[in-house]
Amino acid sequence: MKLSPDVKALIHANQKIHAVKLLHEQQGISLKDAREQVDAYAASIVDSHPKAGPVSLGPMLLFLALAGLAFYWLLNKS
């Protein structure tokens, strides 16, 4: 599938409708065929990016605990 850089940029910007229209105009293909090509390219982008793993709450809990202790210390300093 050969897509112009402009079409790819629109897909990356999540502007798939505009990408379909531009591809339709550039290549003179039907809107249905243009949509299928845009959807296929968008799916290939999603598949090539790894999913984020689970977020560890440990560092956040440590930060909150230390912030709470600092706040408690400041309130009881006097």
Side-chain angles (χ1 to χ4, degrees):
M1 134 182 30
K2 232 177 171 185
L3 301 177
S4 71
D6 295 335
V7 172
K8 289 180 181 180
L10 287 170
I11 295 169
H12 284 279
N14 203 24
Q15 298 285 323
K16 288 172 54 174
I17 293 173
H18 295 294
V20 168
K21 289 179 182 178
L22 182 59
L23 184 61
H24 164 71
E25 292 169 2
Q26 287 178 344
Q27 295 188 2
I29 59 176
S30 70
L31 286 170
K32 180 181 180 267
D33 290 340
R35 190 191 89 224
E36 288 173 356
Q37 287 188 26
V38 166
D39 287 343
Y41 181 77
S44 73
I45 294 171
V46 172
D47 292 342
S48 67
H49 291 7
K51 301 282 186 220
V55 176
S56 173
L57 293 179
M60 180 60 80
L61 291 175
L62 178 62
F63 171 77
L64 291 174
L66 291 175
L69 286 173
F71 185 70
Y72 178 77
W73 179 78
L74 286 174
L75 286 177
N76 292 315
K77 188 176 178 183
S78 55

